[in-house]
Amino acid sequence: MELAYYSDYAVRLVNTEEPGRNRDSLTSVEAVRELFGPAPQAGRRATDSDVTRFRSVRSRLRAVFTAADAGEETQAVDLLNSLLLEFPVSPQISGHDHRDEDGRPKWHMHLADHPSNATAGYAAIAAMGLAFHLTEYGVDRLGLCQAAPCRNAYLDTSTNRSRRYCSDRCATRANVAAYRARKRLETERSAGTSRTAETTQDAT
């Protein structure tokens, strides 16, 4: 498992809430367990208490994305560092059961957490993954969707650092909205020009 993969943990958690739409899907233990994705065994230790704890970590991770999106680089790093200190992990070399064509283990780096609860384990992995992404690609690669009222978090992996939306759907919606706004402006300008011409003609 590549270390960059772990950054998706942060995105998944942050996007369980849509403040602009007043939506929150993080309302049950089942929702917490679903966040662990392909590692469901890690989520089995989740309890009702983790719902509240996950929400707290979610707010702190969103603050990292918000600071990065606003260009507050140092603040984003400070906020992320506080999470790393509170939720540490131990990097380990792992091969699991994966083998290459010659039967040798496929060694890779793995983040081993030693949590007291499900929240601590998830937060440790999410924070470390986000830290790897930030240091590898830059703070400006952490963003919030510009298609209001979405504001979902995303990781920009584009070659030219041009990503502004969390999904193709939001990008399309924003482009349609911009197109309609331009058309309205053109119509208003055209109407204004016509009125001006009529006024001038009447005066003549």
PDB file of all heavy atoms in Angstrom, residues 6 20 22 28 36 49 75 84-86 90-91 105-106 120-122 126 135 137 139 141 161 171 180 196 200:
ATOM      1  N   TYR A   6      -3.034   6.804   1.984  1.00  0.00           N
ATOM      2  CA  TYR A   6      -3.607   7.138   3.276  1.00  0.00           C
ATOM      3  C   TYR A   6      -4.212   8.547   3.316  1.00  0.00           C
ATOM      4  O   TYR A   6      -5.040   8.837   4.172  1.00  0.00           O
ATOM      5  CB  TYR A   6      -2.547   7.011   4.369  1.00  0.00           C
ATOM      6  CG  TYR A   6      -2.113   5.590   4.638  1.00  0.00           C
ATOM      7  CD1 TYR A   6      -0.826   5.172   4.317  1.00  0.00           C
ATOM      8  CD2 TYR A   6      -2.976   4.674   5.225  1.00  0.00           C
ATOM      9  CE1 TYR A   6      -0.415   3.875   4.573  1.00  0.00           C
ATOM     10  CE2 TYR A   6      -2.581   3.375   5.483  1.00  0.00           C
ATOM     11  CZ  TYR A   6      -1.296   2.974   5.147  1.00  0.00           C
ATOM     12  OH  TYR A   6      -0.892   1.690   5.397  1.00  0.00           O
ATOM     13  N   GLY A  20     -22.440  23.666   3.694  1.00  0.00           N
ATOM     14  CA  GLY A  20     -23.243  24.540   2.850  1.00  0.00           C
ATOM     15  C   GLY A  20     -24.633  24.002   2.566  1.00  0.00           C
ATOM     16  O   GLY A  20     -25.557  24.761   2.255  1.00  0.00           O
ATOM     17  N   ASN A  22     -26.047  21.816   4.824  1.00  0.00           N
ATOM     18  CA  ASN A  22     -26.528  21.384   6.137  1.00  0.00           C
ATOM     19  C   ASN A  22     -26.733  19.870   6.177  1.00  0.00           C
ATOM     20  O   ASN A  22     -27.743  19.375   6.695  1.00  0.00           O
ATOM     21  CB  ASN A  22     -27.835  22.111   6.504  1.00  0.00           C
ATOM     22  CG  ASN A  22     -28.145  22.013   7.983  1.00  0.00           C
ATOM     23  OD1 ASN A  22     -27.245  21.917   8.819  1.00  0.00           O
ATOM     24  ND2 ASN A  22     -29.424  22.035   8.320  1.00  0.00           N
ATOM     25  N   SER A  28     -23.733   7.569  12.768  1.00  0.00           N
ATOM     26  CA  SER A  28     -23.868   6.254  13.389  1.00  0.00           C
ATOM     27  C   SER A  28     -22.547   5.494  13.386  1.00  0.00           C
ATOM     28  O   SER A  28     -21.602   5.876  12.690  1.00  0.00           O
ATOM     29  CB  SER A  28     -24.917   5.429  12.630  1.00  0.00           C
ATOM     30  OG  SER A  28     -24.457   5.154  11.309  1.00  0.00           O
ATOM     31  N   PHE A  36     -13.527   3.198   6.914  1.00  0.00           N
ATOM     32  CA  PHE A  36     -12.296   2.425   6.848  1.00  0.00           C
ATOM     33  C   PHE A  36     -12.117   1.725   5.513  1.00  0.00           C
ATOM     34  O   PHE A  36     -11.051   1.170   5.237  1.00  0.00           O
ATOM     35  CB  PHE A  36     -12.253   1.411   7.994  1.00  0.00           C
ATOM     36  CG  PHE A  36     -11.970   2.021   9.337  1.00  0.00           C
ATOM     37  CD1 PHE A  36     -13.006   2.515  10.115  1.00  0.00           C
ATOM     38  CD2 PHE A  36     -10.669   2.126   9.810  1.00  0.00           C
ATOM     39  CE1 PHE A  36     -12.758   3.094  11.357  1.00  0.00           C
ATOM     40  CE2 PHE A  36     -10.406   2.700  11.049  1.00  0.00           C
ATOM     41  CZ  PHE A  36     -11.457   3.192  11.827  1.00  0.00           C
ATOM     42  N   SER A  49     -19.289   5.974  20.987  1.00  0.00           N
ATOM     43  CA  SER A  49     -18.464   7.120  21.411  1.00  0.00           C
ATOM     44  C   SER A  49     -17.591   7.637  20.279  1.00  0.00           C
ATOM     45  O   SER A  49     -17.222   8.820  20.267  1.00  0.00           O
ATOM     46  CB  SER A  49     -17.572   6.714  22.591  1.00  0.00           C
ATOM     47  OG  SER A  49     -18.350   6.338  23.703  1.00  0.00           O
ATOM     48  N   GLN A  75      -0.207  28.028   8.682  1.00  0.00           N
ATOM     49  CA  GLN A  75      -1.311  27.618   9.548  1.00  0.00           C
ATOM     50  C   GLN A  75      -1.756  26.190   9.240  1.00  0.00           C
ATOM     51  O   GLN A  75      -2.012  25.398  10.149  1.00  0.00           O
ATOM     52  CB  GLN A  75      -2.501  28.568   9.386  1.00  0.00           C
ATOM     53  CG  GLN A  75      -3.668  28.227  10.309  1.00  0.00           C
ATOM     54  CD  GLN A  75      -4.868  29.144  10.110  1.00  0.00           C
ATOM     55  OE1 GLN A  75      -4.892  29.980   9.209  1.00  0.00           O
ATOM     56  NE2 GLN A  75      -5.877  28.983  10.946  1.00  0.00           N
ATOM     57  N   LEU A  84      -0.651  15.218  14.134  1.00  0.00           N
ATOM     58  CA  LEU A  84       0.408  14.208  14.095  1.00  0.00           C
ATOM     59  C   LEU A  84       0.973  13.936  15.489  1.00  0.00           C
ATOM     60  O   LEU A  84       1.311  12.798  15.825  1.00  0.00           O
ATOM     61  CB  LEU A  84       1.531  14.658  13.164  1.00  0.00           C
ATOM     62  CG  LEU A  84       1.188  14.715  11.670  1.00  0.00           C
ATOM     63  CD1 LEU A  84       2.291  15.420  10.899  1.00  0.00           C
ATOM     64  CD2 LEU A  84       0.969  13.313  11.121  1.00  0.00           C
ATOM     65  N   LEU A  85       1.085  14.977  16.296  1.00  0.00           N
ATOM     66  CA  LEU A  85       1.599  14.814  17.656  1.00  0.00           C
ATOM     67  C   LEU A  85       0.608  14.066  18.538  1.00  0.00           C
ATOM     68  O   LEU A  85       0.988  13.240  19.370  1.00  0.00           O
ATOM     69  CB  LEU A  85       1.902  16.185  18.269  1.00  0.00           C
ATOM     70  CG  LEU A  85       3.136  16.915  17.736  1.00  0.00           C
ATOM     71  CD1 LEU A  85       3.180  18.339  18.270  1.00  0.00           C
ATOM     72  CD2 LEU A  85       4.395  16.157  18.131  1.00  0.00           C
ATOM     73  N   GLU A  86      -0.671  14.353  18.329  1.00  0.00           N
ATOM     74  CA  GLU A  86      -1.704  13.735  19.167  1.00  0.00           C
ATOM     75  C   GLU A  86      -1.992  12.291  18.760  1.00  0.00           C
ATOM     76  O   GLU A  86      -2.330  11.454  19.598  1.00  0.00           O
ATOM     77  CB  GLU A  86      -2.987  14.561  19.088  1.00  0.00           C
ATOM     78  CG  GLU A  86      -4.073  14.079  20.032  1.00  0.00           C
ATOM     79  CD  GLU A  86      -5.271  15.019  20.046  1.00  0.00           C
ATOM     80  OE1 GLU A  86      -5.151  16.170  19.573  1.00  0.00           O
ATOM     81  OE2 GLU A  86      -6.339  14.592  20.529  1.00  0.00           O
ATOM     82  N   SER A  90       3.515   4.257  13.668  1.00  0.00           N
ATOM     83  CA  SER A  90       4.843   3.671  13.536  1.00  0.00           C
ATOM     84  C   SER A  90       5.005   3.118  12.122  1.00  0.00           C
ATOM     85  O   SER A  90       4.357   2.124  11.775  1.00  0.00           O
ATOM     86  CB  SER A  90       5.026   2.528  14.546  1.00  0.00           C
ATOM     87  OG  SER A  90       4.838   2.990  15.864  1.00  0.00           O
ATOM     88  N   PRO A  91       5.836   3.754  11.289  1.00  0.00           N
ATOM     89  CA  PRO A  91       6.058   3.234   9.935  1.00  0.00           C
ATOM     90  C   PRO A  91       6.734   1.871  10.006  1.00  0.00           C
ATOM     91  O   PRO A  91       7.675   1.670  10.771  1.00  0.00           O
ATOM     92  CB  PRO A  91       6.981   4.280   9.303  1.00  0.00           C
ATOM     93  CG  PRO A  91       6.792   5.511  10.130  1.00  0.00           C
ATOM     94  CD  PRO A  91       6.548   5.014  11.521  1.00  0.00           C
ATOM     95  N   PRO A 105       8.275 -11.492  -1.564  1.00  0.00           N
ATOM     96  CA  PRO A 105       7.306 -10.545  -0.999  1.00  0.00           C
ATOM     97  C   PRO A 105       7.394  -9.188  -1.692  1.00  0.00           C
ATOM     98  O   PRO A 105       8.487  -8.731  -2.043  1.00  0.00           O
ATOM     99  CB  PRO A 105       7.739 -10.434   0.471  1.00  0.00           C
ATOM    100  CG  PRO A 105       8.506 -11.684   0.729  1.00  0.00           C
ATOM    101  CD  PRO A 105       9.221 -11.989  -0.556  1.00  0.00           C
ATOM    102  N   LYS A 106       6.260  -8.550  -1.906  1.00  0.00           N
ATOM    103  CA  LYS A 106       6.225  -7.187  -2.441  1.00  0.00           C
ATOM    104  C   LYS A 106       6.292  -6.226  -1.264  1.00  0.00           C
ATOM    105  O   LYS A 106       5.278  -5.843  -0.693  1.00  0.00           O
ATOM    106  CB  LYS A 106       4.948  -6.965  -3.246  1.00  0.00           C
ATOM    107  CG  LYS A 106       4.903  -7.722  -4.566  1.00  0.00           C
ATOM    108  CD  LYS A 106       3.662  -7.336  -5.361  1.00  0.00           C
ATOM    109  CE  LYS A 106       3.650  -8.009  -6.720  1.00  0.00           C
ATOM    110  NZ  LYS A 106       2.433  -7.635  -7.514  1.00  0.00           N
ATOM    111  N   ALA A 120      -8.712   7.145  17.206  1.00  0.00           N
ATOM    112  CA  ALA A 120      -7.264   7.384  17.277  1.00  0.00           C
ATOM    113  C   ALA A 120      -6.550   6.694  16.123  1.00  0.00           C
ATOM    114  O   ALA A 120      -5.632   7.254  15.518  1.00  0.00           O
ATOM    115  CB  ALA A 120      -6.724   6.894  18.614  1.00  0.00           C
ATOM    116  N   GLY A 121      -6.996   5.472  15.801  1.00  0.00           N
ATOM    117  CA  GLY A 121      -6.369   4.755  14.696  1.00  0.00           C
ATOM    118  C   GLY A 121      -6.609   5.426  13.367  1.00  0.00           C
ATOM    119  O   GLY A 121      -5.681   5.591  12.562  1.00  0.00           O
ATOM    120  N   TYR A 122      -7.831   5.824  13.135  1.00  0.00           N
ATOM    121  CA  TYR A 122      -8.174   6.473  11.858  1.00  0.00           C
ATOM    122  C   TYR A 122      -7.489   7.822  11.740  1.00  0.00           C
ATOM    123  O   TYR A 122      -6.936   8.160  10.694  1.00  0.00           O
ATOM    124  CB  TYR A 122      -9.692   6.644  11.758  1.00  0.00           C
ATOM    125  CG  TYR A 122     -10.175   7.008  10.374  1.00  0.00           C
ATOM    126  CD1 TYR A 122     -10.671   6.031   9.518  1.00  0.00           C
ATOM    127  CD2 TYR A 122     -10.128   8.336   9.918  1.00  0.00           C
ATOM    128  CE1 TYR A 122     -11.110   6.356   8.241  1.00  0.00           C
ATOM    129  CE2 TYR A 122     -10.555   8.664   8.653  1.00  0.00           C
ATOM    130  CZ  TYR A 122     -11.057   7.678   7.811  1.00  0.00           C
ATOM    131  OH  TYR A 122     -11.483   8.013   6.536  1.00  0.00           O
ATOM    132  N   ALA A 126      -4.987   9.073   8.797  1.00  0.00           N
ATOM    133  CA  ALA A 126      -5.427  10.192   7.967  1.00  0.00           C
ATOM    134  C   ALA A 126      -4.437  11.355   8.031  1.00  0.00           C
ATOM    135  O   ALA A 126      -4.080  11.945   7.000  1.00  0.00           O
ATOM    136  CB  ALA A 126      -6.809  10.667   8.414  1.00  0.00           C
ATOM    137  N   THR A 135       3.803  17.260   1.958  1.00  0.00           N
ATOM    138  CA  THR A 135       5.242  17.457   1.789  1.00  0.00           C
ATOM    139  C   THR A 135       5.732  17.014   0.416  1.00  0.00           C
ATOM    140  O   THR A 135       6.737  17.524  -0.084  1.00  0.00           O
ATOM    141  CB  THR A 135       6.024  16.690   2.876  1.00  0.00           C
ATOM    142  OG1 THR A 135       5.629  15.311   2.881  1.00  0.00           O
ATOM    143  CG2 THR A 135       5.753  17.281   4.251  1.00  0.00           C
ATOM    144  N   TYR A 137       3.778  17.069  -2.528  1.00  0.00           N
ATOM    145  CA  TYR A 137       3.209  17.858  -3.628  1.00  0.00           C
ATOM    146  C   TYR A 137       3.000  19.340  -3.323  1.00  0.00           C
ATOM    147  O   TYR A 137       2.822  20.131  -4.241  1.00  0.00           O
ATOM    148  CB  TYR A 137       1.871  17.247  -4.060  1.00  0.00           C
ATOM    149  CG  TYR A 137       1.989  15.818  -4.495  1.00  0.00           C
ATOM    150  CD1 TYR A 137       1.499  14.783  -3.704  1.00  0.00           C
ATOM    151  CD2 TYR A 137       2.601  15.477  -5.699  1.00  0.00           C
ATOM    152  CE1 TYR A 137       1.625  13.451  -4.089  1.00  0.00           C
ATOM    153  CE2 TYR A 137       2.728  14.158  -6.102  1.00  0.00           C
ATOM    154  CZ  TYR A 137       2.230  13.149  -5.289  1.00  0.00           C
ATOM    155  OH  TYR A 137       2.353  11.843  -5.679  1.00  0.00           O
ATOM    156  N   VAL A 139       1.419  22.422  -0.211  1.00  0.00           N
ATOM    157  CA  VAL A 139       0.193  22.776   0.498  1.00  0.00           C
ATOM    158  C   VAL A 139      -0.922  23.165  -0.469  1.00  0.00           C
ATOM    159  O   VAL A 139      -2.101  22.912  -0.215  1.00  0.00           O
ATOM    160  CB  VAL A 139       0.462  23.942   1.481  1.00  0.00           C
ATOM    161  CG1 VAL A 139      -0.819  24.376   2.174  1.00  0.00           C
ATOM    162  CG2 VAL A 139       1.487  23.521   2.525  1.00  0.00           C
ATOM    163  N   ARG A 141      -1.845  21.858  -2.974  1.00  0.00           N
ATOM    164  CA  ARG A 141      -2.510  20.688  -3.557  1.00  0.00           C
ATOM    165  C   ARG A 141      -3.690  20.227  -2.701  1.00  0.00           C
ATOM    166  O   ARG A 141      -4.367  19.270  -3.036  1.00  0.00           O
ATOM    167  CB  ARG A 141      -1.514  19.542  -3.713  1.00  0.00           C
ATOM    168  CG  ARG A 141      -0.430  19.804  -4.747  1.00  0.00           C
ATOM    169  CD  ARG A 141      -0.986  19.799  -6.154  1.00  0.00           C
ATOM    170  NE  ARG A 141       0.063  19.819  -7.160  1.00  0.00           N
ATOM    171  CZ  ARG A 141      -0.053  19.285  -8.374  1.00  0.00           C
ATOM    172  NH1 ARG A 141      -1.181  18.722  -8.728  1.00  0.00           N
ATOM    173  NH2 ARG A 141       0.933  19.359  -9.238  1.00  0.00           N
ATOM    174  N   ARG A 161      -1.512  21.818 -11.585  1.00  0.00           N
ATOM    175  CA  ARG A 161      -2.091  22.411 -10.376  1.00  0.00           C
ATOM    176  C   ARG A 161      -3.335  23.240 -10.681  1.00  0.00           C
ATOM    177  O   ARG A 161      -3.530  24.332 -10.150  1.00  0.00           O
ATOM    178  CB  ARG A 161      -1.049  23.290  -9.664  1.00  0.00           C
ATOM    179  CG  ARG A 161       0.193  22.554  -9.236  1.00  0.00           C
ATOM    180  CD  ARG A 161       1.250  23.475  -8.671  1.00  0.00           C
ATOM    181  NE  ARG A 161       2.447  22.748  -8.313  1.00  0.00           N
ATOM    182  CZ  ARG A 161       2.728  22.319  -7.081  1.00  0.00           C
ATOM    183  NH1 ARG A 161       1.891  22.559  -6.109  1.00  0.00           N
ATOM    184  NH2 ARG A 161       3.844  21.650  -6.844  1.00  0.00           N
ATOM    185  N   ALA A 171     -17.660  20.403 -11.359  1.00  0.00           N
ATOM    186  CA  ALA A 171     -17.019  21.208 -12.402  1.00  0.00           C
ATOM    187  C   ALA A 171     -18.032  21.558 -13.481  1.00  0.00           C
ATOM    188  O   ALA A 171     -18.100  22.709 -13.944  1.00  0.00           O
ATOM    189  CB  ALA A 171     -15.845  20.451 -13.006  1.00  0.00           C
ATOM    190  N   ARG A 180     -24.366  30.588 -17.909  1.00  0.00           N
ATOM    191  CA  ARG A 180     -25.652  31.272 -17.767  1.00  0.00           C
ATOM    192  C   ARG A 180     -25.474  32.704 -17.266  1.00  0.00           C
ATOM    193  O   ARG A 180     -26.194  33.611 -17.701  1.00  0.00           O
ATOM    194  CB  ARG A 180     -26.560  30.489 -16.821  1.00  0.00           C
ATOM    195  CG  ARG A 180     -27.059  29.175 -17.416  1.00  0.00           C
ATOM    196  CD  ARG A 180     -27.843  28.361 -16.416  1.00  0.00           C
ATOM    197  NE  ARG A 180     -28.370  27.147 -17.016  1.00  0.00           N
ATOM    198  CZ  ARG A 180     -28.944  26.156 -16.331  1.00  0.00           C
ATOM    199  NH1 ARG A 180     -29.056  26.257 -15.014  1.00  0.00           N
ATOM    200  NH2 ARG A 180     -29.400  25.090 -16.972  1.00  0.00           N
ATOM    201  N   THR A 196     -30.416  52.818 -24.788  1.00  0.00           N
ATOM    202  CA  THR A 196     -29.615  54.027 -25.012  1.00  0.00           C
ATOM    203  C   THR A 196     -29.817  54.531 -26.439  1.00  0.00           C
ATOM    204  O   THR A 196     -29.963  55.736 -26.689  1.00  0.00           O
ATOM    205  CB  THR A 196     -28.118  53.745 -24.769  1.00  0.00           C
ATOM    206  OG1 THR A 196     -27.928  53.310 -23.419  1.00  0.00           O
ATOM    207  CG2 THR A 196     -27.292  54.993 -25.026  1.00  0.00           C
ATOM    208  N   THR A 200     -31.463  58.100 -27.586  1.00  0.00           N
ATOM    209  CA  THR A 200     -30.737  59.025 -28.452  1.00  0.00           C
ATOM    210  C   THR A 200     -31.567  59.370 -29.689  1.00  0.00           C
ATOM    211  O   THR A 200     -31.629  60.546 -30.118  1.00  0.00           O
ATOM    212  CB  THR A 200     -29.402  58.397 -28.903  1.00  0.00           C
ATOM    213  OG1 THR A 200     -28.625  58.089 -27.745  1.00  0.00           O
ATOM    214  CG2 THR A 200     -28.636  59.342 -29.797  1.00  0.00           C
TER     215      THR A 200
END
